[in-house]
Amino acid sequence: MSVTLVANPYLDENSTKIRNKNVPWDAYQRADLITLEELGLIKKVDRQPRARVESVLLSEGSTYAQLYLGLLKKVVRSDTQQCLLVWIADALTDHEERIPLFTRTHQFDPDLPYLPLLKCLDAQDEFIQLKAAQILIVLLSVEETSALQQHLQPFLQTLAQFVTNSAQHKRDIGVQCLESLLARQEVRQAVWANSAIIPGLLDILTNSPGSQMSYQVSFCFWLLTFEQNVAQQLDKKYDVIPVLVETAKTAVKEKVIRVIVAAFRNLVTKAPSANLPAMLVAQLLPFAKNLSQRKWFDEDIIEDVQFLKEELTTHFQNLTTYDEYTSELASGHLSWTPVHESDDFWKENATRLNEKDYEQLKLLIHILQTATDPNTLVIAANDVGQYVKHYDRGKKFVTDLGGKARVMELMTHSNPDVRYRALLSVQQLVSQPWVAA
């Protein structure tokens, strides 16, 4: 039976070199680092043709699973660890039936199979780290829940380091590992609890990855959206929706669009109130309408696009201009739509920000205080100015909520557009005293 290992040219090229290296096993035996019996077993597979090794593993697979992992536990030289990891991966490649031979080694030693493999994740040698991850993903993906949860956290910490690393091969391997593990519900919750993985995945998407990487990262997000609590909080916490929309718009491969649309379907189905405002701001409905007019080979994407278009149309078709504005506030993403500079809009709606105990005004001030994107700060400062311009009594409320102090801070912001818009807003906030004087 077939086992698909994480594939990467870095691993493939270095594994080939290591298979042909001469490891001084005889010297290890003379130094009592390995036993004579272990040396005899090693000789039968060391630098032997693949067919010969397969023949040995066919008859003595359990013995060699214990041997490889037992040696990995006790050897310290990096070249020896590299060799053992390559042998383990080779034994598993195209042989799913051998996975239990390795997972059952705990019956002979409670530290096996995971302790030596997890220790390899902390190695200074990059190949050892990545090769151990390649093996761990095969074993953990089929483990019972209790064993998986016991060893998952240290592995996820390493994967977080991989996906946030500047080296492309590390990011690639990290994403492939997550793609395999996230099929399991307990892993999805553990990844959600990890503060580094999702920002790392988003960073990959926003830096123009190739089609395959875009697909794999989007696939990870799709799997995450099957969890109710994740669907509820994902965009609010990480601003995922606009990134996924942009990724889909620029995608050249159908499979990238398919998996992103499927993720949007999950978000709409599981947590509409949490995600629809951001979808409105990200202009997802016009994009869904555009997608519905294209020809697709995959029937799943046709169904999902139609579902998305109908759901968004139902939710958005009766929205007023003010509804759209409050959706922007709820999403936390502000863009230069006409309402922000429309005197007619603010004359009509400024006082509506006071409704429900100043709910919308508080949202606006919260965005002003927490946003880091210069464009969002520019628009939020503009809106505060518009609010007090058209509702003079609002100056006290803006001041009490901390909005005036924040706008004054922004007058020294590093971005010139933010400084300019903050200055205009401050002029509105202090204009009444000047007039009264």
Side-chain angles (χ1 to χ4, degrees):
M1 296 178 68
S2 176
V3 172
T4 302
L5 295 182
V6 167
N8 182 270
Y10 172 87
L11 285 179
D12 296 342
E13 292 165 10
N14 283 280
S15 294
T16 299
K17 294 176 185 176
I18 289 164
R19 286 188 195 97
N20 298 319
K21 275 188 178 180
N22 181 23
V23 177
W25 298 111
D26 291 288
Y28 292 168
Q29 191 277 317
R30 290 193 296 271
D32 291 327
L33 297 176
I34 62 174
T35 67
L36 195 59
E37 180 185 2
E38 288 170 337
L39 179 61
L41 291 170
I42 289 168
K43 293 280 190 181
K44 292 165 69 174
V45 296
D46 183 30
R47 289 180 295 161
Q48 296 297 314
R50 179 67 186 262
R52 167 67 178 157
V53 175
E54 286 296 315
S55 176
V56 172
L57 293 177
L58 185 63
S59 58
E60 301 177 78
S62 181
T63 299
Y64 277 86
Q66 293 175 55
L67 174 70
Y68 294 162
L69 289 167
L71 290 174
L72 189 63
K73 178 183 174 182
K74 66 182 181 180
V75 301
V76 294
R77 283 184 50 142
S78 60
D79 59 341
T80 313
Q81 292 174 333
Q82 290 174 349
C83 177
L84 290 166
L85 290 169
V86 169
W87 286 355
I88 294 170
D90 287 351
L92 291 169
T93 302
D94 297 327
H95 287 284
E96 188 174 346
E97 76 281 0
R98 289 180 185 158
I99 295 176
L101 301 180
F102 289 88
T103 56
R104 290 174 190 159
T105 52
H106 70 87
Q107 297 171 357
F108 307 96
D109 182 342
D111 288 341
L112 303 183
Y114 293 109
L115 180 65
L117 291 167
L118 291 170
K119 282 182 65 177
C120 286
L121 297 178
D122 296 324
Q124 295 297 312
D125 184 282
E126 185 176 71
F127 177 82
I128 290 174
Q129 284 184 358
L130 298 173
K131 197 69 177 177
Q134 185 188 46
I135 295 164
L136 279 164
I137 200 67
V138 173
L139 303 184
L140 286 173
S141 294
V142 299
E143 269 290 8
E144 295 179 358
T145 298
S146 58
L148 173 63
Q149 291 178 334
Q150 182 181 352
H151 304 293
L152 183 61
Q153 286 305 324
F155 190 35
L156 288 183
Q157 292 297 332
T158 298
L159 295 185
Q161 294 170 17
F162 287 176
V163 299
T164 55
N165 197 279
S166 59
Q168 184 175 347
H169 60 279
K170 278 197 169 184
R171 292 198 304 271
D172 179 35
I173 291 168
V175 169
Q176 287 187 62
C177 288
L178 287 169
E179 194 181 0
S180 297
L181 281 175
L182 283 167
R184 300 188 61 160
Q185 188 270 341
E186 56 267 54
V187 176
R188 296 197 287 268
Q189 290 297 336
V191 167
W192 175 244
N194 186 292
S195 62
I197 291 177
I198 293 176
L201 293 175
L202 280 173
D203 186 64
I204 292 172
L205 277 187
T206 54
N207 282 283
S208 303
S211 294
Q212 183 60 21
M213 180 61 79
S214 291
Y215 170 73
Q216 290 173 322
V217 173
S218 300
F219 190 87
C220 289
F221 280 116
W222 172 61
L223 291 172
L224 282 166
T225 60
F226 280 94
E227 299 302 305
Q228 180 69 42
N229 61 318
V230 177
Q232 190 76 34
Q233 293 289 323
L234 184 61
D235 185 72
K236 182 178 181 181
K237 193 171 181 180
Y238 294 110
D239 297 339
V240 166
I241 287 173
V243 177
L244 290 178
V245 170
E246 188 60 29
T247 302
K249 283 182 176 179
T250 57
V252 295
K253 296 286 187 181
E254 179 174 311
K255 65 180 183 178
V256 178
I257 299 173
R258 182 187 72 233
V259 76
I260 291 176
V261 169
F264 286 149
R265 179 170 186 163
N266 281 352
L267 292 175
V268 170
T269 303
K270 292 182 175 293
S273 61
N275 295 300
L276 286 170
M279 290 177 174
L280 175 65
V281 175
Q283 297 291 302
L284 185 55
L285 179 55
F287 182 52
K289 289 178 177 177
N290 176 277
L291 293 178
S292 68
Q293 296 170 359
R294 297 190 198 176
K295 294 188 180 297
W296 304 101
F297 293 103
D298 190 323
E299 290 187 3
D300 287 341
I301 193 173
I302 298 172
E303 182 184 341
D304 286 346
V305 165
Q306 187 63 27
F307 171 86
L308 201 59
K309 187 181 77 168
E310 290 175 359
E311 286 295 308
L312 296 179
T313 299
T314 300
H315 282 90
F316 296 162
Q317 63 184 354
N318 295 320
L319 290 182
T320 64
T321 307
Y322 182 70
D323 291 332
E324 293 183 11
Y325 178 70
T326 58
S327 291
E328 273 199 71
L329 293 181
S331 75
H333 302 288
L334 304 183
S335 58
W336 276 120
T337 50
V339 298
H340 297 283
E341 297 186 287
S342 167
D343 280 341
D344 289 342
F345 172 82
W346 287 103
K347 284 177 186 176
E348 183 179 343
N349 295 294
T351 57
R352 298 187 67 182
L353 271 64
N354 305 338
E355 295 171 358
K356 297 181 182 178
D357 190 29
Y358 301 91
E359 179 181 17
Q360 301 305 322
L361 180 62
K362 289 175 181 177
L363 274 177
L364 174 59
I365 301 298
H366 177 73
I367 293 170
L368 188 70
Q369 292 172 331
T370 59
T372 56
D373 172 55
N375 190 57
T376 299
L377 289 172
V378 165
I379 299 170
N382 168 82
D383 288 5
V384 168
Q386 291 280 25
Y387 170 72
V388 297
K389 176 183 176 183
H390 294 91
Y391 178 60
D392 191 67
R393 292 173 59 191
K395 294 171 185 175
K396 178 181 186 304
F397 304 123
V398 170
T399 301
D400 291 346
L401 291 169
K404 180 178 179 180
R406 175 56 174 159
V407 171
M408 294 183 76
E409 283 178 15
L410 293 177
M411 290 174 65
T412 59
H413 194 275
S414 59
N415 184 286
D417 294 333
V418 175
R419 292 198 302 270
Y420 173 70
R421 195 61 63 165
L423 174 63
L424 296 182
S425 184
V426 168
Q427 288 174 348
Q428 293 295 338
L429 283 163
V430 302
S431 62
Q432 183 62 33
W434 294 345
V435 173

